[in-house]
Every structure is written in structure tokens, then in C-alpha cells.
Amino acid sequence: MNYKKILKNQKKRIKIIRMLDFIPDKTMLKIQYKIKTGHKLNLDNPKRYSEKIQWYKLNFHNCVMAQCSDKYDVRNFVIKRGLENILNEVYGIYNHPDEIDFDKLPDAFVLKDTLGGGGNSVILVENKKSIDKEFTYSKMLEWVNEPINRKHPGREWVYEGRKHRIIIEKILIPEGSMDLPDYKIFCFNGVPFCIYMMQNYTKNHSLGELSFFDCDFNMLPVKRLDFKSISQQPPKPKNFDKMITYAKILSEGFPHVRVDFYNIDGEIFFGEMTFFNASGYIKFDPDKFDYILGERFELP
């Protein structure tokens, strides 16, 4: 594989994105919001959850949010909140793929971009003997060569000016399983309000299913239009109430944050924290759920 060609293509893509950097953040968000949701963005008196996310991007800059948006730096935040016990094991943190000694790694592990989002900057390695070395190296090279001084496409300020790194973690998918369900808890000022669960997503995003639940894990009649819904009520995870408690602890002090966990037969692992869920461009069915979430989102 021609790595110079990879970097050349990446630079070309970044150049195109940077051509839009001159557009003011507020103007850019109004354009994106209209294109992605079909609605006109109201920043003066936002009512929808999706509108308030855009306001949040523009007007609430807490440096701790940037720390918590980095998949490695957030670990210190979790420790300070007294929850070191739910952190996954880390095998290493690297600035460049050339620093990684794969011989010293276990047979299975997960590679992640510390600033990646949407589950796209993740490589599952279930057997390093069969790893596609060229593909893996090229993806990691793309991650760490992302410039740190350009505007984020969705104007999510928490990622701007921060360096992309590679974090290697213990793989959590149970042996013989094809999936690792993900529990994403929507919290407002330290109060969990609802959850969405994702399944059948880990190894093939196109098969992913997503449904919303209340904080007793009852399925809600709400859909995300960009995902298939879970067909029937899944069993309540073991130690479910502990996940809710952990979400309260980690979300305290933030007007809004989504706190993610994995739950493997009652053993809970911290996933990540997200302040701008889907960059605020989710389309709900029914549409009124956008307003229901918006009512919970009290802007500072």
C-alpha cells in the first residue's frame, strides 16, 4: 500500500473541508441544520433538543468537556469521580503507529482514535495473527495525521486544537459472541432521563439496531430514523440500577451529556462521554420527542 498516496488523499480531503472554515460557526450550523433535519434553526429561543445542541456548541465552553471527549484523557475524570473500577484495561497510548510493538500485545485487542466518534474510528482485532497490517496501519496513519488546528466539520469545539492519538484497549466482546450491546444514557444536569441501546452494531454497523428506553428499561415508542429499531423488549441488564447511578455521578455539573456503558453479565464498563449526540442532527419518530428531550435540556 502506498502510504504517501494515503496522506496525499487525506490532505486533499482536509483542504476541501478547510475551504469552509471561513464560514462563521453560527452560519455553518444553520446551514447544516436545515440540510440534515429539514428545519430552520432557532438559536434565539430554541425548543427542540436538536436546536439546543447547536446552542450548546456555540455558547457553553467548559474545558472539562474537552477532556471528557478524549477517550484517554477522560479516564482521569472518571477516576476523580471515584469510578476507576469501571474503566477498561489499556495496553498503551501512542502518537504514531510506528511506536506500537504488536509482538508485546495480546492476541486480541481494540484500536481506537482518541478523538474518534460515531464508532467509525475503531478497529477490532480478535486475532492479531490474521490482522490486515496494511489496512490497519493506513487507518491509524489517517487518525494521527488529522490536523489539530482546523475547525471540526460540525463545529464541535471540544475536538479543535487537540491531538489525535491511538489508544489500545482490552477487547470486551465475550468469546463466541458477535456483539457487545451499548447502553447510552441521556443525562441533564446529573439526572438520567432516557437511554438508547444499540445492538448488532459492533462488527457490522449496517446491521445496527437502536431503540429508546426509560430509566426502568421499558422500551419507549420512539425511533431514530437513521437506524433500524430493536424488534422486541430485551431483558433488563444485570446491575442496571448501578449503570444509572454511575451515569448520575459522571454527568453531574453538565447541562447535558450522554454517558455510555457496556454491561457484560452484570459487569459494567465505562464507554465514553458525548456532549453533542450525533452532532445534534438526529431525526426522531415521533418528531415531538425532539421537544420532549428539549424540555429537559436547561440551557445555562
Side-chain angles (χ1 to χ4, degrees):
M1 185 175 289
N2 188 334
Y3 299 119
K4 288 184 178 179
K5 185 177 180 181
I6 291 170
L7 293 178
K8 184 178 180 181
N9 290 338
Q10 185 183 35
K11 287 178 180 178
K12 188 183 294 184
R13 176 180 60 82
I14 291 168
K15 185 177 181 180
I16 293 171
I17 294 173
R18 275 185 165 162
M19 289 173 65
L20 302 175
D21 280 0
F22 75 94
I23 300 176
D25 290 346
K26 185 182 291 188
T27 303
M28 176 58 84
L29 292 181
K30 286 183 176 182
I31 293 169
Q32 290 184 354
Y33 190 80
K34 179 65 175 178
I35 292 171
K36 293 177 180 290
T37 70
H39 304 299
K40 184 178 179 180
L41 178 59
N42 183 346
L43 290 171
D44 296 324
N45 186 25
K47 298 293 184 183
R48 293 176 177 270
Y49 168 78
S50 54
E51 289 179 319
K52 290 187 176 184
I53 288 288
Q54 310 312 318
W55 188 99
Y56 204 29
K57 292 177 190 178
L58 293 170
N59 298 294
F60 191 80
H61 288 201
N62 179 338
C63 62
V64 180
M65 293 166 65
Q67 176 193 358
C68 291
S69 298
D70 182 293
K71 290 177 173 57
Y72 184 74
D73 291 346
V74 69
R75 294 173 63 86
N76 286 328
F77 176 83
V78 174
I79 291 169
K80 285 181 180 179
R81 295 268 166 129
L83 296 177
E84 184 176 5
N85 60 300
I86 64 172
L87 290 173
N88 189 17
E89 184 177 354
V90 169
Y91 298 135
I93 179 78
Y94 306 93
N95 291 311
H96 195 278
D98 288 342
E99 299 174 2
I100 302 171
D101 185 347
F102 283 91
D103 291 335
K104 293 183 178 180
L105 292 173
D107 291 336
F109 48 87
V110 182
L111 300 161
K112 297 179 181 179
D113 175 359
T114 53
L115 299 179
N120 297 313
S121 302
V122 177
I123 300 173
L124 298 172
V125 179
E126 296 181 276
N127 184 346
K128 70 179 181 182
K129 292 179 181 178
S130 59
I131 190 173
D132 185 333
K133 293 182 179 179
E134 288 191 328
F135 169 80
T136 302
Y137 187 89
S138 66
K139 292 305 292 182
M140 291 190 292
L141 205 59
E142 286 181 9
W143 297 346
V144 299
N145 279 288
E146 282 287 323
I148 64 173
N149 60 345
R150 71 173 178 86
K151 284 187 174 291
H152 185 273
R155 304 300 164 99
E156 298 178 23
W157 65 270
V158 293
Y159 300 111
E160 295 171 5
R162 298 183 65 81
K163 182 174 176 57
H164 290 255
R165 294 171 293 169
I166 303 158
I167 183 172
I168 306 181
E169 297 179 338
K170 178 180 178 181
I171 196 166
L172 293 177
I173 302 175
E175 190 173 349
S177 175
M178 294 295 290
D179 189 35
L180 182 64
D182 199 355
Y183 303 90
K184 302 174 181 290
I185 304 177
F186 286 61
C187 302
F188 300 93
N189 285 310
V191 180
F193 175 67
C194 68
I195 303 157
Y196 71 66
M197 172 188 172
M198 297 182 70
Q199 66 180 24
N200 299 324
Y201 180 81
T202 310
K203 295 186 179 181
N204 188 340
H205 290 4
S206 66
L207 300 177
E209 298 173 332
L210 181 155
S211 283
F212 286 82
F213 300 81
D214 64 20
C215 285
D216 292 317
F217 206 63
N218 299 306
M219 189 180 287
L220 297 172
V222 178
K223 298 179 181 179
R224 235 182 94 160
L225 291 179
D226 54 340
F227 275 91
K228 291 177 286 188
S229 296
I230 298 172
S231 59
Q232 58 185 4
Q233 171 78 43
K236 190 174 185 178
K238 294 180 181 178
N239 289 329
F240 177 79
D241 292 340
K242 276 190 176 181
M243 282 202 303
I244 297 296
T245 298
Y246 295 156
K248 289 179 181 178
I249 293 169
L250 293 173
S251 63
E252 185 179 351
F254 300 113
H256 170 53
V257 64
R258 195 195 76 207
V259 189
D260 300 358
F261 300 97
Y262 302 107
N263 188 321
I264 304 172
D265 198 29
E267 186 173 5
I268 299 167
F269 294 90
F270 170 78
E272 64 182 39
M273 295 173 70
T274 300
F275 296 93
F276 312 119
N277 183 64
S279 206
Y281 299 129
I282 292 178
K283 294 178 73 173
F284 299 98
D285 180 16
D287 182 61
K288 69 178 181 181
F289 194 68
D290 203 3
Y291 290 97
I292 291 171
L293 283 178
E295 289 175 1
R296 295 281 171 171
F297 196 164
E298 295 182 8
L299 299 178

